[in-house]
Amino acid sequence: MRILVNGSEAGLVDARDRGLAYGDGVFRTLRCEAGRLLAWPRHYARLAADCAALGIACPAEADLLADLAALAPHDAAVKLTVTRGVGARGYACAAEVPATRIVQAGPLPAYPAGLREHGVAVRLCDWPLAIQPGLAGLKHLNRLDQVMARREWDDPALFDGLMANARGELVEGVMTNLYLLAGGTLLTHPLADCGVAGVTRELVLECAAALGIAVELRAFTAEALATADAVLLSNSLAGVLPVARCGARAWHDFAFARRLHDAVALLARQESRPCVMP
Amino acid sequence: MRILVNGSEAGLVDARDRGLAYGDGVFRTLRCEAGRLLAWPRHYARLAADCAALGIACPAEADLLADLAALAPHDAAVKLTVTRGVGARGYACAAEVPATRIVQAGPLPAYPAGLREHGVAVRLCDWPLAIQPGLAGLKHLNRLDQVMARREWDDPALFDGLMANARGELVEGVMTNLYLLAGGTLLTHPLADCGVAGVTRELVLECAAALGIAVELRAFTAEALATADAVLLSNSLAGVLPVARCGARAWHDFAFARRLHDAVALLARQESRPCVMP
């Protein structure tokens, strides 16, 4: 794995960085395939929107692309992190401080073969997602809920854990967005007061609609798993994955998930850009 | 300001540190007065308890004290940060990774003179505190709620902002704990599902009881300010401060706050330890 911090290769951050002190920043994870950054325009747009929501000056797209060109990944998991920059002790932030820009490229996760053919197993996490409308949807650096939920299991057979909010609504996986197919409609949580709005979620919703599937942003509880025709997960590294098992409940028909994955992967490639100097 | 990271003076942190990636860590701020660390045993105990709550291996007290002896502050604001350490991409954490230990000493805040004589002005913040019982009380590094609330004002005449949770209960200040004196009873939020349990809050509650004041951990809303006899703030750097003004409401009798501050300051000094090699 290689990391550039503000373009420098040392891979070190000032210990007074507000990203470290307060989780005061945002990030994105994306897939680089054969030297192309999948769905790049959407990832940059979300990064910029999340920065704007927190009042952080987003680095120029050209600076991030220059960092990526220097790292020159071929097939890689790329992570972009932007923090509010170095600060003094205390919550107040000086307006003139430049943001910190961290770009890293590492190997793609070593997923077992056949995830899409056989589906993945998940569990229901006990740790609830905090409700916070002001931060909902943002991929910010305050991720203790995910850290604590991920600590609930170490069975490598489990791909992810599903997280509910305090109202008992199933919102997302620890590292994925979550969808139910029920009665011909694809449901996912509206993320109005918690959750992370992934770029791949955006692609999933567009592609499902293009495939003629009704899409509804609507909350559901774990009870809805019992009657769901299919359960799907998505993120930018894995694409769309069918869930084969959650506790005692099992699913066997993964045809829709594969069709949706193919559509999402095609669109992400169509919207990719080469990892070269802008 | 000087910073030691795992005992080293460079003041740099690995960009892959989980404290930066996820806010996966805890911190404490304490006051060093004439070379003595005020209320040290309580600060270390809280740091260790907060680490334990997150499953982070807390650094040995001797290591932190050795760092502090190397920095040798005289009068200083000391900040201790412990993160889960350096990780790979992804929420899962390897058990064998050592924690990252950051010790910094800088100048005490330049508070205006007469804060305790004239009281301080505060505002009611719009940004709500998220409700999360699993993290309540902990001084963890997921502090975007405080960052966003602190961005609501830049009037230097305001000392702090009061934050309510989603139920409308007034919980604490952005950088302080909060107390109401009403009908001879000192009230503060129980912090069962949000808020930070400061060491000075602990001292305040003990000293108030010792002064013969009834102490009650009970939630109250902003309406309670209207009839409160006094409103107080506390943190480890400022001690106990009387609130003189919040919006249109003003208070004038600061005798109790001064008495409580003196008792808290005395106890913190009694429980101090010299900043020398353990």
Side-chain angles (χ1 to χ4, degrees):
Chain A
M1 167 147 59
R2 289 173 67 199
I3 305 195
L4 297 182
V5 177
N6 295 327
S8 144
E9 184 103 36
L12 297 169
V13 169
D14 190 306
R16 298 164 305 161
D17 196 278
R18 292 175 61 99
L20 179 63
Y22 306 127
D24 191 5
V26 300
F27 73 109
R28 303 300 322 171
T29 303
L30 61 144
R31 188 177 176 104
C32 182
E33 217 173 77
R36 295 190 70 89
L37 303 162
L38 300 190
W40 171 262
R42 295 188 196 240
H43 280 287
Y44 182 73
R46 287 270 173 164
L47 187 77
D50 287 1
C51 280
L54 298 183
I56 294 173
C58 188
E61 185 175 6
D63 289 341
L64 293 166
L65 287 171
D67 290 346
L68 284 163
L71 294 177
H74 186 73
D75 293 307
V78 167
K79 184 173 175 183
L80 313 174
T81 305
V82 176
T83 81
R84 201 183 302 274
V86 174
R89 208 191 43 70
Y91 292 111
C93 29
E96 68 275 16
V97 174
T100 300
R101 168 179 108 242
I102 305 173
V103 177
Q104 63 188 86
L108 286 165
Y111 295 136
L115 286 190
R116 239 170 303 278
E117 290 67 31
H118 309 301
V120 298
V122 299
R123 75 190 299 279
L124 296 176
C125 291
D126 297 322
W127 191 275
L129 283 168
I131 289 177
Q132 178 52 283
L135 298 177
L138 309 189
K139 206 165 168 77
H140 55 68
L141 299 178
N142 276 203
R143 299 258 75 99
L144 273 174
D145 282 349
Q146 282 73 22
V147 169
M148 298 307 286
R150 184 61 188 80
R151 286 172 58 79
E152 293 180 13
W153 81 92
D154 58 4
D155 177 356
L158 290 174
F159 181 81
D160 204 357
L162 308 186
M163 299 185 71
N165 63 17
R167 290 191 299 269
E169 303 163 1
L170 274 187
V171 178
E172 61 193 6
V174 171
M175 57 164 188
T176 55
N177 282 118
L178 169 68
Y179 316 83
L180 291 197
L181 187 67
T185 296
L186 192 70
L187 294 175
T188 195
H189 196 277
L191 310 185
D193 53 17
C194 58
V196 175
V199 160
T200 301
R201 174 174 180 271
E202 196 177 292
L203 299 175
V204 160
L205 299 180
E206 286 182 28
C207 290
L211 291 171
I213 303 291
V215 167
E216 217 174 308
L217 302 186
R218 174 153 61 83
F220 49 86
T221 64
E223 284 73 59
L225 294 176
T227 55
D229 301 313
V231 178
L232 290 73
L233 305 176
S234 78
N235 70 27
S236 294
L237 296 180
V240 180
L241 293 173
V243 173
R245 186 168 59 78
C246 181
R249 177 74 168 96
W251 294 268
H252 304 285
D253 183 355
F254 307 144
F256 172 68
R258 277 199 295 270
R259 208 150 55 98
L260 191 55
H261 171 78
D262 291 345
V264 164
L266 179 64
L267 184 52
R269 274 194 296 269
Q270 284 169 347
E271 298 189 359
S272 67
R273 63 154 288 153
C275 197
V276 293
M277 280 300 282
Chain B
M1 168 146 61
R2 291 172 63 199
I3 305 195
L4 297 181
V5 177
N6 295 327
S8 146
E9 185 103 34
L12 297 168
V13 170
D14 191 306
R16 299 165 304 162
D17 197 279
R18 293 176 60 98
L20 178 62
Y22 306 126
D24 192 4
V26 300
F27 73 110
R28 303 301 319 174
T29 303
L30 62 144
R31 188 176 177 104
C32 182
E33 218 173 76
R36 295 191 70 90
L37 302 162
L38 300 191
W40 171 263
R42 294 189 197 238
H43 281 286
Y44 182 73
R46 287 270 174 163
L47 186 77
D50 288 1
C51 280
L54 298 183
I56 294 174
C58 188
E61 185 175 6
D63 290 340
L64 293 166
L65 287 171
D67 291 346
L68 285 163
L71 294 177
H74 186 73
D75 293 307
V78 166
K79 184 172 175 184
L80 314 174
T81 306
V82 176
T83 82
R84 201 184 301 275
V86 175
R89 210 191 41 71
Y91 292 110
C93 28
E96 68 275 13
V97 173
T100 300
R101 171 180 104 241
I102 304 173
V103 176
Q104 62 189 85
L108 286 166
Y111 294 136
L115 286 189
R116 239 170 304 277
E117 290 68 30
H118 309 301
V120 297
V122 300
R123 75 189 299 278
L124 296 176
C125 291
D126 297 323
W127 191 274
L129 283 168
I131 288 177
Q132 179 52 282
L135 299 177
L138 309 189
K139 205 165 169 75
H140 54 68
L141 299 178
N142 277 203
R143 299 259 76 99
L144 273 175
D145 283 348
Q146 282 73 22
V147 169
M148 297 309 285
R150 184 60 187 81
R151 286 171 57 79
E152 293 180 14
W153 82 93
D154 58 5
D155 177 356
L158 290 173
F159 181 81
D160 204 358
L162 308 186
M163 299 186 70
N165 63 17
R167 289 192 300 270
E169 301 164 1
L170 273 188
V171 177
E172 61 194 3
V174 171
M175 58 164 188
T176 55
N177 282 118
L178 169 68
Y179 316 83
L180 292 195
L181 187 66
T185 296
L186 191 71
L187 294 175
T188 196
H189 195 276
L191 310 185
D193 53 17
C194 57
V196 175
V199 160
T200 302
R201 174 174 179 272
E202 197 178 292
L203 298 176
V204 161
L205 300 181
E206 287 181 28
C207 289
L211 291 172
I213 303 290
V215 167
E216 219 176 304
L217 303 184
R218 174 153 60 84
F220 49 86
T221 64
E223 284 74 59
L225 295 176
T227 54
D229 301 311
V231 177
L232 289 74
L233 305 175
S234 78
N235 71 26
S236 293
L237 297 181
V240 180
L241 292 173
V243 173
R245 187 169 57 80
C246 179
R249 178 73 167 99
W251 295 268
H252 305 284
D253 182 356
F254 307 146
F256 173 67
R258 278 200 296 269
R259 209 149 55 99
L260 190 54
H261 171 78
D262 291 345
V264 163
L266 179 65
L267 185 52
R269 276 195 295 270
Q270 283 170 349
E271 297 189 359
S272 68
R273 64 154 288 151
C275 196
V276 293
M277 282 299 284

Coordinates of all heavy atoms in Angstrom, one line a residue, chain A residues 66-120:
Chain A
A66 N -3.7 14.2 -9.6 CA -2.2 14.2 -9.7 C -1.6 13.2 -8.7 O -0.7 12.4 -9.1 CB -1.7 15.6 -9.5
D67 N -2.1 13.2 -7.5 CA -1.7 12.2 -6.5 C -1.9 10.8 -7.1 O -1.0 9.9 -6.9 CB -2.4 12.3 -5.2 CG -2.1 13.6 -4.5 OD1 -1.1 14.2 -4.8 OD2 -2.9 14.0 -3.5
L68 N -3.1 10.5 -7.6 CA -3.4 9.2 -8.1 C -2.5 8.8 -9.3 O -2.0 7.7 -9.4 CB -4.9 9.1 -8.5 CG -5.8 9.0 -7.3 CD1 -7.2 9.3 -7.7 CD2 -5.7 7.6 -6.7
A69 N -2.2 9.8 -10.2 CA -1.3 9.5 -11.3 C 0.1 9.1 -10.8 O 0.8 8.3 -11.3 CB -1.2 10.7 -12.2
A70 N 0.5 9.8 -9.7 CA 1.8 9.5 -9.1 C 1.8 8.1 -8.5 O 2.8 7.3 -8.6 CB 2.2 10.5 -8.0
L71 N 0.7 7.6 -7.9 CA 0.6 6.3 -7.3 C 0.5 5.3 -8.4 O 0.9 4.1 -8.3 CB -0.5 6.2 -6.4 CG -0.4 7.0 -5.1 CD1 -1.6 6.9 -4.2 CD2 0.8 6.6 -4.3
A72 N -0.2 5.7 -9.5 CA -0.3 4.8 -10.7 C -0.8 3.4 -10.4 O -0.2 2.4 -10.8 CB 1.0 4.8 -11.5
P73 N -2.0 3.3 -9.7 CA -2.5 1.9 -9.4 C -3.0 1.3 -10.7 O -3.4 2.0 -11.6 CB -3.6 2.2 -8.4 CG -4.1 3.6 -8.8 CD -2.8 4.3 -9.2
H74 N -2.9 -0.1 -10.7 CA -3.5 -0.8 -11.9 C -4.8 -1.4 -11.4 O -5.9 -0.8 -11.7 CB -2.5 -1.9 -12.3 CG -3.0 -2.6 -13.6 ND1 -3.0 -2.0 -14.8 CD2 -3.5 -3.8 -13.8 CE1 -3.5 -2.8 -15.7 NE2 -3.8 -3.9 -15.1
D75 N -4.8 -2.4 -10.6 CA -6.0 -2.9 -10.0 C -5.8 -2.6 -8.5 O -4.9 -3.2 -7.8 CB -6.2 -4.4 -10.2 CG -6.5 -4.6 -11.7 OD1 -7.4 -4.0 -12.2 OD2 -5.8 -5.4 -12.3
A76 N -6.7 -1.8 -7.9 CA -6.4 -1.4 -6.5 C -7.7 -0.9 -5.8 O -8.6 -0.5 -6.5 CB -5.4 -0.3 -6.5
A77 N -7.6 -0.9 -4.5 CA -8.6 -0.2 -3.7 C -8.0 1.1 -3.4 O -6.9 1.2 -2.8 CB -8.9 -1.0 -2.4
V78 N -8.7 2.2 -3.8 CA -8.2 3.6 -3.6 C -9.0 4.2 -2.5 O -10.2 4.0 -2.5 CB -8.4 4.4 -5.0 CG1 -8.2 5.8 -4.7 CG2 -7.4 3.8 -6.0
K79 N -8.3 4.9 -1.6 CA -9.0 5.6 -0.6 C -8.6 7.1 -0.6 O -7.4 7.4 -0.6 CB -8.7 5.0 0.8 CG -9.5 5.6 1.9 CD -9.3 4.8 3.2 CE -10.0 5.5 4.4 NZ -9.7 4.8 5.7
L80 N -9.6 8.0 -0.6 CA -9.3 9.4 -0.5 C -9.8 9.9 0.8 O -11.0 9.6 1.2 CB -10.1 10.1 -1.6 CG -10.0 9.6 -3.0 CD1 -11.0 10.4 -4.0 CD2 -8.6 9.6 -3.6
T81 N -9.0 10.6 1.6 CA -9.4 11.2 2.8 C -9.1 12.7 2.8 O -8.0 13.0 2.4 CB -8.7 10.5 4.0 OG1 -8.8 9.1 3.9 CG2 -9.1 11.0 5.4
V82 N -10.1 13.5 3.3 CA -9.8 14.9 3.4 C -10.2 15.3 4.8 O -11.3 15.0 5.3 CB -10.7 15.7 2.4 CG1 -10.5 17.2 2.6 CG2 -10.4 15.3 1.0
T83 N -9.3 16.0 5.5 CA -9.6 16.5 6.9 C -9.6 18.0 6.8 O -9.1 18.6 5.9 CB -8.6 16.0 7.9 OG1 -7.4 16.8 7.9 CG2 -8.2 14.5 7.7
R84 N -10.1 18.6 7.9 CA -10.1 20.0 8.0 C -8.7 20.6 8.2 O -8.5 21.8 8.1 CB -11.0 20.5 9.1 CG -11.5 21.9 9.0 CD -12.4 22.4 10.2 NE -13.5 21.5 10.4 CZ -14.7 21.7 9.8 NH1 -14.9 22.7 9.0 NH2 -15.7 20.9 10.1
G85 N -7.7 19.8 8.4 CA -6.4 20.3 8.4 C -5.8 20.3 9.9 O -6.5 19.8 10.8
V86 N -4.7 20.9 10.1 CA -4.0 20.9 11.3 C -4.6 22.1 12.2 O -4.8 23.2 11.7 CB -2.5 21.2 11.1 CG1 -1.8 21.3 12.5 CG2 -1.9 20.0 10.4
G87 N -4.9 21.8 13.4 CA -5.5 22.8 14.3 C -4.8 22.9 15.6 O -4.0 22.0 16.0
A88 N -5.1 23.9 16.3 CA -4.7 24.1 17.7 C -5.6 23.2 18.6 O -6.6 22.6 18.0 CB -4.7 25.5 18.1
R89 N -5.3 23.0 19.9 CA -6.2 22.3 20.7 C -7.5 23.1 20.8 O -7.5 24.4 20.8 CB -5.6 22.2 22.1 CG -6.0 21.0 23.0 CD -5.5 21.2 24.4 NE -5.7 22.5 24.9 CZ -6.9 23.1 25.1 NH1 -8.0 22.3 25.0 NH2 -7.1 24.3 25.5
G90 N -8.7 22.4 20.9 CA -9.9 23.1 21.0 C -10.8 23.0 19.7 O -10.2 22.8 18.6
Y91 N -12.1 23.0 19.9 CA -13.0 22.7 18.7 C -13.0 23.8 17.7 O -13.3 23.5 16.5 CB -14.4 22.4 19.3 CG -14.4 21.1 20.1 CD1 -14.6 21.2 21.5 CD2 -14.2 19.9 19.5 CE1 -14.7 20.0 22.2 CE2 -14.3 18.7 20.2 CZ -14.5 18.8 21.6 OH -14.5 17.6 22.3
A92 N -12.8 25.0 18.1 CA -12.9 26.1 17.1 C -11.9 25.9 16.0 O -10.8 25.5 16.3 CB -12.7 27.5 17.8
C93 N -12.3 26.2 14.7 CA -11.3 26.0 13.7 C -11.0 27.4 13.0 O -11.9 28.1 12.6 CB -11.8 25.0 12.7 SG -13.6 24.8 12.5
A94 N -9.8 27.6 12.7 CA -9.3 28.8 12.0 C -9.8 28.6 10.5 O -9.6 27.5 10.0 CB -7.8 29.0 12.1
A95 N -10.3 29.7 9.9 CA -10.8 29.5 8.6 C -9.7 29.3 7.5 O -9.9 28.7 6.5 CB -11.6 30.8 8.2
E96 N -8.5 29.8 7.8 CA -7.5 29.9 6.8 C -6.6 28.6 6.7 O -5.7 28.5 5.8 CB -6.5 31.1 7.0 CG -5.7 31.0 8.2 CD -6.4 31.5 9.5 OE1 -7.6 31.6 9.5 OE2 -5.7 31.7 10.5
V97 N -6.9 27.6 7.5 CA -6.1 26.4 7.5 C -6.4 25.5 6.3 O -7.6 25.3 6.0 CB -6.3 25.6 8.8 CG1 -5.6 24.2 8.7 CG2 -5.9 26.4 10.0
P98 N -5.4 25.1 5.5 CA -5.7 24.2 4.4 C -6.1 22.8 4.8 O -5.6 22.3 5.8 CB -4.4 24.2 3.6 CG -3.3 24.6 4.5 CD -4.0 25.4 5.6
A99 N -7.0 22.2 4.0 CA -7.4 20.8 4.3 C -6.2 19.9 4.1 O -5.2 20.2 3.4 CB -8.5 20.4 3.4
T100 N -6.2 18.7 4.8 CA -5.2 17.7 4.6 C -5.8 16.7 3.6 O -7.0 16.3 3.7 CB -4.9 17.0 5.9 OG1 -4.4 17.9 6.9 CG2 -3.9 15.9 5.7
R101 N -5.0 16.3 2.7 CA -5.4 15.4 1.6 C -4.6 14.1 1.6 O -3.4 14.2 1.6 CB -5.2 16.2 0.3 CG -5.3 15.5 -1.0 CD -5.0 16.6 -2.1 NE -3.7 16.4 -2.7 CZ -2.7 17.2 -2.7 NH1 -2.8 18.4 -2.1 NH2 -1.6 17.0 -3.3
I102 N -5.3 13.0 1.8 CA -4.6 11.7 1.9 C -5.1 10.8 0.8 O -6.3 10.6 0.7 CB -4.8 11.1 3.3 CG1 -4.4 12.1 4.4 CG2 -4.0 9.8 3.4 CD1 -4.8 11.6 5.8
V103 N -4.2 10.3 0.0 CA -4.6 9.4 -1.1 C -3.8 8.1 -1.0 O -2.6 8.1 -0.9 CB -4.3 10.1 -2.5 CG1 -4.6 9.1 -3.6 CG2 -5.1 11.4 -2.6
Q104 N -4.5 7.0 -0.9 CA -3.8 5.8 -0.8 C -4.3 4.7 -1.8 O -5.5 4.8 -2.1 CB -3.9 5.2 0.7 CG -5.2 4.9 1.2 CD -5.2 4.6 2.7 OE1 -5.3 5.4 3.5 NE2 -5.1 3.3 3.0
A105 N -3.5 3.9 -2.2 CA -3.8 2.8 -3.1 C -3.2 1.5 -2.6 O -2.0 1.4 -2.3 CB -3.3 3.1 -4.5
G106 N -4.1 0.5 -2.4 CA -3.6 -0.8 -1.9 C -4.3 -1.9 -2.7 O -5.1 -1.7 -3.5
P107 N -3.9 -3.1 -2.3 CA -4.5 -4.3 -3.0 C -6.0 -4.3 -2.8 O -6.5 -3.9 -1.8 CB -3.8 -5.5 -2.4 CG -3.2 -5.0 -1.1 CD -3.0 -3.5 -1.3
L108 N -6.7 -4.9 -3.8 CA -8.1 -5.1 -3.7 C -8.3 -6.2 -2.6 O -7.5 -7.0 -2.4 CB -8.7 -5.5 -5.0 CG -8.9 -4.4 -6.0 CD1 -9.1 -5.0 -7.4 CD2 -10.0 -3.5 -5.6
P109 N -9.5 -6.1 -1.9 CA -9.7 -7.1 -0.8 C -9.7 -8.5 -1.4 O -10.1 -8.7 -2.5 CB -11.1 -6.8 -0.3 CG -11.4 -5.4 -0.8 CD -10.6 -5.1 -2.0
A110 N -9.2 -9.5 -0.7 CA -9.1 -10.8 -1.1 C -10.4 -11.6 -0.8 O -10.5 -12.4 0.1 CB -7.9 -11.5 -0.4
Y111 N -11.4 -11.2 -1.6 CA -12.7 -11.9 -1.4 C -12.6 -13.3 -1.9 O -12.0 -13.6 -2.9 CB -13.8 -11.2 -2.2 CG -14.1 -9.8 -1.8 CD1 -14.3 -8.7 -2.7 CD2 -14.2 -9.4 -0.4 CE1 -14.6 -7.4 -2.3 CE2 -14.5 -8.1 0.0 CZ -14.7 -7.1 -0.9 OH -14.9 -5.9 -0.6
P112 N -13.3 -14.2 -1.2 CA -13.4 -15.6 -1.7 C -14.0 -15.7 -3.0 O -14.8 -14.8 -3.4 CB -14.3 -16.3 -0.6 CG -14.4 -15.4 0.5 CD -14.1 -14.0 0.0
A113 N -13.6 -16.6 -3.8 CA -14.2 -16.8 -5.2 C -15.7 -17.1 -5.0 O -16.1 -17.7 -4.1 CB -13.5 -17.8 -5.9
G114 N -16.5 -16.7 -6.0 CA -17.8 -17.2 -6.1 C -18.8 -16.4 -5.2 O -19.9 -16.9 -4.9
L115 N -18.4 -15.3 -4.7 CA -19.3 -14.5 -3.8 C -20.7 -14.3 -4.5 O -21.7 -14.3 -3.9 CB -18.7 -13.2 -3.5 CG -17.6 -13.1 -2.5 CD1 -17.3 -11.7 -2.1 CD2 -17.9 -13.9 -1.2
R116 N -20.6 -14.0 -5.8 CA -21.8 -13.6 -6.5 C -22.6 -14.9 -7.0 O -23.8 -14.8 -7.1 CB -21.5 -12.8 -7.8 CG -22.2 -11.4 -7.7 CD -21.7 -10.4 -8.7 NE -20.3 -10.2 -8.7 CZ -19.7 -9.3 -7.9 NH1 -20.4 -8.6 -7.0 NH2 -18.4 -9.1 -8.0
E117 N -21.9 -16.0 -7.1 CA -22.6 -17.2 -7.5 C -23.3 -17.9 -6.3 O -24.4 -18.4 -6.4 CB -21.6 -18.2 -8.1 CG -21.0 -17.8 -9.5 CD -20.2 -16.6 -9.4 OE1 -19.5 -16.4 -8.4 OE2 -20.2 -15.8 -10.4
H118 N -22.6 -17.8 -5.1 CA -23.1 -18.5 -3.9 C -23.7 -17.6 -2.9 O -24.4 -18.0 -2.0 CB -22.0 -19.3 -3.3 CG -21.2 -20.2 -4.2 ND1 -21.9 -21.2 -4.9 CD2 -19.9 -20.2 -4.6 CE1 -21.0 -21.8 -5.7 NE2 -19.8 -21.2 -5.5
G119 N -23.5 -16.3 -3.1 CA -24.0 -15.3 -2.1 C -23.2 -15.2 -0.9 O -22.2 -16.0 -0.7
V120 N -23.5 -14.3 0.0 CA -22.6 -14.1 1.2 C -23.5 -14.3 2.4 O -24.7 -14.1 2.4 CB -22.0 -12.7 1.2 CG1 -21.0 -12.5 0.0 CG2 -23.0 -11.6 1.2

